[in-house]
Amino acid sequence: MTDHDAVAVEDFRPKFLARSSMARKAADAAIGATKKALIEMGRKHGRDIRLVHPAHTTMDCASCGARTKHALPLSERTYTCTACGAVSPRDKNSARVMLHRAGLNPAGAEGVRPPGAQLPEAA
Ligand SMILES: [Zn+2]
């Protein structure tokens, strides 16, 4: 168990599978089943599953929300914001952008105690 009580799920739709309508149907069905399983799993564990549109998660700044003009090349592992100067590992930045879009506060996910948590310093 972790303190995270919400999970952001990327609302993905792989383009490479969408070339024929047959493949698209199969892909949609598979993705639909995956989402359904995730959502049901979340419900079972009392979690809050949110679907997030994945566009531009590698281009948006998690700190200030600015969007870079160019997608980062895959070889570039570090996101550097030209607007606010924030520098963070690419994957971490994308994850934070997704959490923001899901309406979740990344700081809350990492640092703030969940409601009802029994922590000594809460007294
Ligand atoms: Zn920024």
Side-chain angles (χ1 to χ4, degrees), residues 61 63-66 81 83-86:
C61 174
S63 295
C64 71
C81 180
C84 74

Side-chain angles (χ1 to χ4, degrees), residues 48-91:
D48 183 9
I49 305 283
R50 300 164 197 231
L51 297 176
V52 178
H53 199 282
H56 303 303
T57 52
T58 59
M59 293 167 70
D60 286 3
C61 174
S63 295
C64 71
R67 178 163 298 168
T68 58
K69 291 196 173 70
H70 310 285
L72 290 179
L74 280 173
S75 58
E76 182 58 72
R77 302 309 300 164
T78 305
Y79 180 95
T80 307
C81 180
T82 51
C84 74
V87 178
S88 62
R90 177 197 180 103
D91 296 342

